[in-house]
């Protein structure tokens, strides 16, 4: 539910500029719920509009833990970025970044280069405002389903050096990507562009351990909001790390990934499974 | 900010236990971007400040207000976070910090103080949260506006790009046919009927571009077009230069004052194209032909102007290329009429609109009728009767003369059979007929089908028809002579008059052009010169055993002189104007009438 990356899955195969902008013209307002802004609402933020809150409240009605899940993912992201920073990673490509509010990558990895990618033009515009004229972080509008477009984006090329390790973050995004869009293939194209020693951080909803009623209820809510959900099993999520060596503890419920202290009583309540993989080889 | 110096945590031994309980209470209520340990540390510092505020004299409630704000700043922003904070402070703070029994044994005073601080804390919290909410709403709305602006700008850019692509030639970058048509149309739309605005159009086509393409390849051809387009665009900056397609360009002069304006543009274009272009080691020298139309806007329309420019371009091409031509409405009218005749001719043949009139050929010696010359007429449904000078040339150009010649030959032979007698009928053969391999079988078949004796058919050939140098016409003429057909050279003395063919060709006679005859009426020296030429031609003919017929005889004096010279026969208005076939039998008593 860090909806971002597919911020506007709603409208959007955000392909052609003209097409996307034609749609964005209306979407830039607040007529349709944006995954990025719904996620902000789960996190207690006010970077959202009535239409986003309405959609988010419906999700919460179906999945009362939704705000907890968002928090758990944001905390997972924070721990991953801190881990990577300690490992020496200084470049981040955060795909599906959402509204870059407190605790985002550039605040945790303060001396790293960061490119935020989101499909929601409002999230991107907001991100640019927050980042101001920063020469080490920027936000671009793009679709996770078009990795080549992301990789060749001039801002990405300007800020990130793909001869050096880059951490690609795809946190709480892929459950909005259908199998038909070939998530493994999308990740493969990103992986191929990365230098050895690069990382992939990934999390998404996992249906394991959930009652079918609850699953159906949340899926129905997102489907009504034009954001159909695609939960995957932990094994399926593990396979998305093909070509990466998993960092301990592997693919787990996100609260279990290198927790600080006082882990949630029921990690599965977070609903998200995630992990961190390293592209083999010396940087 | 509190004015008091920071309180040492050591003063409150129970503060750490309380901060731990506080952190546990608010855990999970909000997303706080710090670890549990960091949160505990943070809440410990707040606890110490809270305790200090509570115990200060007089009480400082501002500390509660500040802490409420700091909780929000730490992102402990949820209602649950506030509720549990109030709850844990009320339940545990005084006890954990051992404050209840210090200065206030009954606890009433410190409870009162706590209530005031908590009130301030909730006030500070809610105010900070409200401010934060308003700020966030403002930034997100601003972001929405920015995003919309960007989307609209992107849309405009893409529309502009689309518009540019739709109106410009991708190869050369020049405006394309669509943009040109738009501007041309707009010009016409903007001009009211009483205005005197003028338009100039230069229609430019490269000469020999196809050869460049064919010999050096399309790639070089394309580069040449780009180079030429660039020069035209650079040199002709005042007017719209468009690429119409292929190697065609057009310049639209929207505020032309006179023809010279357009001619200057055309000269500039010719000069621009004339400079050699260097492409891939080749030096290409091309030229251009230009059709210019310059006229008032009123009274015409875009299509008409374009067509006129196109026609004029072809005039420039046919005049030798590398030049401009100026549209001439009269020439155009003639060509249009000519084209209409040309296009109408096959149908006219099918509908038998061509018919013959006959002019008598009279023996100068005896005065008797020796033959008639068949003269073709076209009974045009709209233009009336047309004479051969209007359409024979066209028929020769289009090649239809072969079909036409064959049709009138058949008609003449049939009519000659109908009127009987032994006079011949003389029919003109065009050059292309003489060279057509079907001539001999055609004549043979016609004679056979009509039953006309070959001796009653005379064919008139021009000198150019027999002087092609090829053997084929000569052998065809021999074959016709062998059939028994008479052959005469028409308009003798006006061509090159190469006499050598007279030795070898099976020719029976000469027809001397009427221009010599006309001189007979004139005073010396012209008159006497023409007379001597005629005498020489007659003498030449007779020497070779040929009959000599004079054309264009209009007066009795001319007839008398020709008779004196010894000319054999004559035709002309003096002897009779061309008339319909039905009148030919009436010509037989001619000699009797003439000779009284």
């Amino acid at each position: 539910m860090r909806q971002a990356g597919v911020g506007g899955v709603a409208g959007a195969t955000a392909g052609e500029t003209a097409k996307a902008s034609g749609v964005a013209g209306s979407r830039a307002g607040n007529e349709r719920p944006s995954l990025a802004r719904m996620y902000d609402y789960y996190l207690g933020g006010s970077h959202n509009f009535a239409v986003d809150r309405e959609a988010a409240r419906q999700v919460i009605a179906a999945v009362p833990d939704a705000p907890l899940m968002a928090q758990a993912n944001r905390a997972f992201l924070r721990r991953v970025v801190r881990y990577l920073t300690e490992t020496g990673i200084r470049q981040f490509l955060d795909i599906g970044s959402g509204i870059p509010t407190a605790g985002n990558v550039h605040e945790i990895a303060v001396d790293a280069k960061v490119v935020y990618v989101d499909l929601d033009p409002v999230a991107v515009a907001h991100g640019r405002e927050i980042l101001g004229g920063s020469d080490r972080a920027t936000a671009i509008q793009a679709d996770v389903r078009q990795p080549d477009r992301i990789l060749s984006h001039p801002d990405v090329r300007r800020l990130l050096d793909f001869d050096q390790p880059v951490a690609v973050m795809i946190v709480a995004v892929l459950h909005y990507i259908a199998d038909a869009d070939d998530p493994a293939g999308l990740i493969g194209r990103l992986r191929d562009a990365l230098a050895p020693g690069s990382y992939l951080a990934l999390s998404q909803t996992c249906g394991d351990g959930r009652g079918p009623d609850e699953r159906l209820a949340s899926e129905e809510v997102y489907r009504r909001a034009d954001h159909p959900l695609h939960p995957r099993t932990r094994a399926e999520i593990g396979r998305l790390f093909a070509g990466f060596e998993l960092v301990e503890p592997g693919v787990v419920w996100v609260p279990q990934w290198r927790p600080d202290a006082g882990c949630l009583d029921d990690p599965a309540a977070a609903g998200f499974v995630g992990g961190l993989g390293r592209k083999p080889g010396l940087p | 900010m509190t004015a008091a110096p920071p309180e040492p945590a050591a003063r409150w031994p129970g503060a750490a236990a309380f901060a731990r309980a506080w952190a546990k209470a608010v855990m999970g209520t909000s997303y706080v971007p710090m670890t549990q340990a960091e949160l505990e540390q943070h809440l410990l510092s707040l606890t110490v400040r809270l305790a200090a505020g509570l115990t200060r004299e007089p009480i400082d409630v501002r500390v509660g207000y500040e802490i409420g704000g700091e909780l929000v700043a730490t992102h402990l922003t949820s209602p649950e976070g506030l509720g549990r904070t109030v709850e844990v402070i009320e339940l545990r703070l005084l006890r954990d910090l051992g404050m209840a029994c210090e200065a206030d044994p009954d606890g009433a005073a410190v409870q009162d103080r706590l209530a005031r601080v908590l009130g301030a804390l909730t006030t500070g919290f809610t105010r900070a949260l409200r401010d934060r909410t308003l700020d966030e709403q403002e930034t997100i709305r601003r972001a929405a506006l920015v995003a919309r602006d960007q989307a609209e700008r992107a849309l405009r850019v893409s529309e502009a790009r689309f518009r540019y692509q739709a109106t410009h030639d991708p190869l050369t970058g020049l405006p394309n046919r669509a943009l040109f048509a738009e501007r041309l149309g707009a010009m016409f739309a903007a001009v009211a009927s009483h205005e005197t605005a003028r338009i100039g159009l230069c229609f430019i086509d490269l000469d020999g571009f196809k050869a460049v393409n064919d010999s050096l390849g399309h790639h070089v051809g394309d580069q040449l077009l780009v180079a030429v387009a660039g020069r035209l665009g650079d040199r002709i900056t005042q007017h719209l230069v468009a690429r119409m397609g292929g190697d065609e360009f057009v310049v639209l002069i929207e505020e032309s004052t006179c023809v010279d304006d357009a001619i200057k543009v055309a000269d500039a274009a010719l000069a621009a194209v004339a400079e050699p272009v260097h492409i891939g080691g080749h030096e290409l020298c091309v030229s251009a032909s230009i059709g210019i139309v310059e006229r008032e806007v009123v009274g015409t329309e875009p299509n008409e102007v374009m067509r006129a420019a196109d026609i004029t371009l072809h005039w420039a091409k046919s005049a030798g290329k590398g030049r401009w031509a100026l549209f001439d409405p009269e020439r155009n009218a003639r060509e249009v009429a000519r084209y209409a005749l040309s296009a109408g001719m096959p149908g006219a043949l099918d509908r038998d609109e061509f018919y013959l009139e006959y002019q008598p050929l009279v023996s100068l010696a005896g005065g008797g009728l020796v033959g008639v010359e068949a003269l073709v007429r076209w009974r045009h449904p709209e233009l009336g009767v047309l004479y051969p000078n209007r359409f024979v040339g066209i028929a020769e150009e289009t090649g239809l003369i072969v079909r036409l010649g064959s049709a009138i030959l058949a008609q003449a032979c049939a009519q000659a059979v109908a009127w009987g007698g032994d006079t011949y009928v003389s029919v003109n053969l065009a050059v292309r007929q003489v060279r057509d391999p079907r001539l001999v079988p055609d004549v043979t078949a016609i004679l056979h089908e009509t039953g006309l004796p070959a001796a009653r058919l005379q064919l008139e050939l021009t000198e150019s028809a027999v002087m092609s140098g090829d053997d084929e016409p000569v052998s065809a003429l021999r074959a016709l002579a062998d059939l028994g057909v008479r052959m005469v050279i028409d308009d003798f003395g006006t061509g090159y008059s190469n006499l050598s063919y007279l030795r070898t060709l099976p020719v029976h006679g000469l027809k001397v052009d009427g221009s010599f005859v006309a001189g007979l009426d004139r005073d010396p020296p012209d008159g006497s010169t023409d007379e001597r030429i005629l005498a020489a031609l007659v003498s030449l003919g007779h020497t070779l055993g040929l009959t000599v017929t004079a054309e264009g005889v209009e007066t009795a004096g001319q007839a008398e002189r020709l008779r004196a010279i010894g000319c054999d026969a004559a035709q002309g208005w003096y002897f009779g104007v061309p008339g319909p076939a039905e009148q030919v039998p009436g010509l037989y008593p001619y000699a009797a009438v003439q000779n009284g």
Side-chain angles (χ1 to χ4, degrees):
Chain A
M1 311 185 192
R2 190 168 161 259
Q3 298 51 21
V6 209
V9 163
T13 50
E16 298 297 305
T17 309
K19 185 178 156 197
S21 58
V23 181
S26 57
R27 199 155 25 93
N30 50 8
E31 289 150 30
R32 307 189 65 180
S34 142
L35 293 169
R37 300 189 304 253
M38 286 165 71
Y39 190 72
D40 175 75
Y41 178 77
Y42 300 143
L43 288 174
S46 304
H47 302 101
N48 43 69
F49 300 119
V51 64
D52 308 311
R53 293 189 286 278
E54 176 56 30
R57 278 194 286 268
Q58 287 184 29
V59 171
I60 292 171
V63 188
D65 285 344
L68 280 181
M69 295 177 178
Q71 287 183 34
N73 261 299
R74 189 48 74 92
F76 168 70
L77 173 84
R78 180 167 48 81
R79 296 197 304 276
V80 166
V81 172
R82 209 170 48 201
Y83 172 87
L84 291 170
T85 307
E86 287 164 5
T87 315
I89 293 294
R90 292 291 177 272
Q91 305 192 95
F92 291 85
L93 180 60
D94 186 356
I95 302 175
S97 48
I99 307 278
T101 45
N104 238 298
V105 180
H106 72 282
E107 289 189 356
I108 304 163
V110 288
D111 57 350
K113 301 268 178 78
V114 184
V115 178
Y116 293 112
V117 182
D118 205 285
L119 189 54
D120 179 9
V122 179
V124 173
H126 186 265
R128 289 206 180 124
E129 182 173 324
I130 284 183
L131 299 169
S134 169
D135 55 358
R136 63 176 193 88
T138 191
I140 64 165
Q141 190 196 355
D143 191 328
V144 66
R145 282 165 293 195
Q146 295 180 312
D148 299 333
R149 204 172 272 254
I150 294 173
L151 292 169
S152 64
H153 193 288
D155 284 352
V156 173
R157 288 281 145 195
R158 179 173 56 80
L159 222 53
L160 304 183
D161 176 2
F162 281 85
D163 293 332
Q164 298 296 320
V166 173
V168 174
M169 320 288 294
I170 310 179
V171 175
V173 171
L174 284 183
H175 47 283
Y176 299 110
I177 304 299
D179 287 344
D181 285 320
D182 188 18
L186 303 177
I187 290 170
R189 299 222 301 277
L190 291 167
R191 182 192 59 226
D192 293 346
L194 296 175
S198 292
Y199 284 88
L200 168 71
L202 187 152
S203 73
Q204 79 142 81
T205 54
C206 174
D208 296 359
R210 296 244 151 206
D213 289 351
E214 192 181 352
R215 235 171 24 227
L216 283 176
S218 60
E219 285 173 26
E220 176 57 25
V221 168
Y222 275 99
R223 188 160 49 244
R224 278 210 304 272
D226 283 344
H227 305 298
L229 276 185
H230 305 278
R232 294 188 171 85
T233 66
R234 188 191 293 211
E236 286 171 331
I237 295 165
R239 282 197 287 278
L240 294 175
F241 283 96
F244 291 93
E245 292 168 347
L246 284 170
V247 171
E248 283 298 316
V251 175
V252 294
W253 295 108
V254 289
Q256 294 173 317
W257 198 90
R258 296 180 176 252
D260 292 324
C263 191
L264 290 177
D265 294 340
D266 176 12
F272 275 68
V273 155
L276 178 68
R278 180 182 183 277
K279 184 166 176 175
L282 290 174
Chain B
M1 278 290 136
T2 173
E7 289 287 333
R11 193 181 151 194
W12 313 103
F18 176 79
R20 211 159 31 244
W22 191 359
K24 193 156 192 280
V26 298
M27 194 180 87
T29 58
S30 311
Y31 171 71
V32 181
M34 54 180 77
T35 65
Q36 196 70 15
E38 288 165 346
L39 180 61
E40 280 178 22
Q41 192 57 43
H42 181 63
L43 293 181
L44 175 59
S45 75
L46 297 186
T47 303
V48 170
R49 280 167 59 193
L50 200 57
L54 269 174
T55 53
R56 187 168 300 140
E57 284 301 337
I59 182 173
D60 185 1
V61 294
R62 286 178 305 168
V63 75
Y65 188 84
E66 287 162 12
I67 286 167
E70 287 196 32
L71 291 176
V72 171
T74 316
H75 302 285
L76 268 170
T77 53
S78 68
E80 293 84 355
L82 175 62
R84 292 191 192 167
T85 292
V86 169
E87 187 182 331
V88 79
I89 288 173
E90 276 219 324
L91 283 177
R92 296 189 58 161
L93 184 70
L94 297 181
R95 194 182 68 215
D96 284 0
L97 271 58
M99 288 162 72
C101 46
E102 204 170 84
D104 184 19
D106 66 354
V110 73
Q111 279 292 346
D112 178 69
R113 287 176 168 239
L114 184 63
R116 291 175 65 190
V117 169
L118 273 177
L121 186 146
T122 51
T123 303
F125 179 95
T126 47
R127 174 160 297 141
L129 183 58
R130 190 186 62 175
D131 287 352
R132 177 193 168 108
T133 302
L134 292 173
D135 288 349
E136 290 188 352
Q137 280 282 294
E138 196 170 307
T139 62
I140 197 68
R141 283 181 195 287
R142 195 159 54 234
L145 288 177
V146 169
R148 181 178 302 166
D149 278 356
Q150 284 172 342
E152 282 171 3
R153 201 173 315 126
L155 188 63
R156 277 197 300 277
V157 166
S158 79
E159 277 172 351
R161 191 187 305 125
F162 180 76
R163 156 101 186 134
Y164 185 87
Q165 284 168 349
T167 54
H168 287 76
D169 168 40
L171 178 65
T172 63
L174 285 182
N176 65 8
R177 178 186 287 268
L179 181 57
F180 169 77
E182 190 181 301
R183 289 272 291 273
L184 185 64
M187 253 197 91
F188 278 80
V191 173
S193 57
H194 63 276
E195 287 182 57
T196 56
R198 300 182 69 83
I199 180 176
L201 211 66
C202 293
F203 204 24
I204 305 167
D205 187 281
L206 298 188
D207 301 323
F209 176 71
K210 190 177 180 302
V212 172
N213 247 356
D214 290 350
S215 58
L216 300 176
H218 287 277
H219 183 61
V220 173
D222 282 354
Q223 285 179 280
L224 176 62
L225 290 175
V226 170
V228 167
R231 277 190 202 161
L232 289 175
D234 289 346
R235 308 280 176 87
I236 304 168
T237 54
Q238 306 291 311
H239 312 292
L240 178 77
V241 181
R243 181 180 176 214
M244 298 301 275
D247 57 344
E248 286 180 348
F249 300 89
V250 67
V251 182
L252 177 64
I253 300 154
E254 284 175 286
E255 289 175 353
S256 184
T257 57
C258 61
V259 172
D260 275 352
D261 288 355
I263 290 175
K264 279 178 197 154
V265 169
D267 282 337
L270 288 177
V273 174
E275 291 170 24
V277 180
H278 297 272
I279 294 167
H282 303 284
E283 182 180 279
L284 302 178
C285 294
V286 289
S287 61
S289 299
I290 303 179
I292 303 175
V293 178
E294 203 284 335
R295 57 159 296 158
E296 287 182 350
V297 174
V298 171
T300 184
E301 54 185 36
N303 283 345
E304 204 178 320
V305 176
M306 285 305 294
R307 206 168 42 103
D310 194 20
I311 290 166
T312 315
L313 171 65
H314 286 101
W315 293 350
K317 290 267 185 197
S318 58
K321 303 181 179 174
R323 69 192 64 205
W324 51 258
L326 188 61
F327 182 68
D328 169 3
E330 287 174 17
R331 174 172 172 182
N332 182 52
R334 284 197 304 275
E335 292 193 353
V336 167
R338 209 174 142 81
Y339 175 78
L341 284 184
S342 169
M345 214 175 284
L349 261 172
D350 293 341
R351 292 187 297 272
D352 290 328
E353 287 174 12
F354 294 95
Y355 67 98
L356 292 170
E357 288 191 329
Y358 296 92
Q359 186 170 34
L361 290 107
V362 176
S363 162
L364 285 171
L369 185 76
V370 292
V372 288
E373 180 179 354
L375 298 166
V376 66
R377 306 286 185 254
W378 180 358
R379 190 177 289 108
H380 195 283
E382 288 153 26
L383 303 174
V385 172
L386 301 180
Y387 285 74
N389 59 340
R390 289 284 299 276
F391 59 86
V392 165
I394 298 171
E396 282 177 337
E397 279 174 23
T398 60
L400 203 67
I401 192 71
V402 175
R403 225 185 114 193
L404 177 63
S406 177
I408 60 179
L409 179 64
Q411 199 177 118
C413 290
Q415 286 172 339
V417 168
W419 68 62
D422 57 0
T423 55
Y424 58 79
V425 62
S426 190
V427 181
N428 290 281
L429 277 191
V431 175
R432 289 179 77 144
Q433 279 179 283
V434 175
R435 295 181 185 166
D436 192 290
R438 287 165 300 183
L439 176 65
V440 175
D442 218 20
V443 172
T444 309
I446 288 169
L447 290 174
H448 179 74
E449 282 161 22
T450 57
L452 183 73
R456 285 193 58 206
L457 178 62
Q458 171 171 289
L459 296 175
E460 299 190 15
L461 316 154
T462 58
E463 288 178 82
S464 52
V466 295
M467 280 180 53
S468 67
D470 294 341
D471 288 339
E472 272 179 41
V474 175
S475 61
L477 296 182
R478 285 192 199 290
L480 291 175
D482 288 347
L483 287 176
V485 175
R486 288 172 54 88
M487 268 166 296
V488 296
I489 304 297
D490 201 7
D491 300 329
F492 187 79
T494 57
Y496 289 104
S497 302
N498 181 330
L499 301 179
S500 65
Y501 64 87
L502 293 178
R503 294 185 310 204
T504 52
L505 284 184
V507 173
H508 299 86
L510 304 174
K511 288 186 79 175
V512 179
D513 191 70
S515 59
F516 296 108
V517 177
L520 294 179
D521 280 348
R522 285 197 287 270
D523 294 331
D526 293 351
S528 55
T529 303
D530 284 339
E531 185 166 344
R532 283 199 291 275
I533 290 172
L534 281 168
L537 290 177
V538 169
S539 170
L540 171 71
H542 288 173
T543 304
L544 295 171
L546 305 174
T547 61
V548 178
T549 306
E551 294 181 304
V553 180
E554 295 182 355
T555 64
Q558 290 168 350
E560 185 49 44
R561 303 288 274 277
L562 288 167
R563 189 178 294 119
I565 288 168
C567 190
D568 302 293
Q571 75 181 98
W573 290 358
Y574 175 68
F575 295 105
V577 297
E582 303 81 62
Q583 290 183 9
V584 173
L587 295 170
Y588 288 115
Y590 188 85
V593 173
Q594 284 291 302
N595 295 331

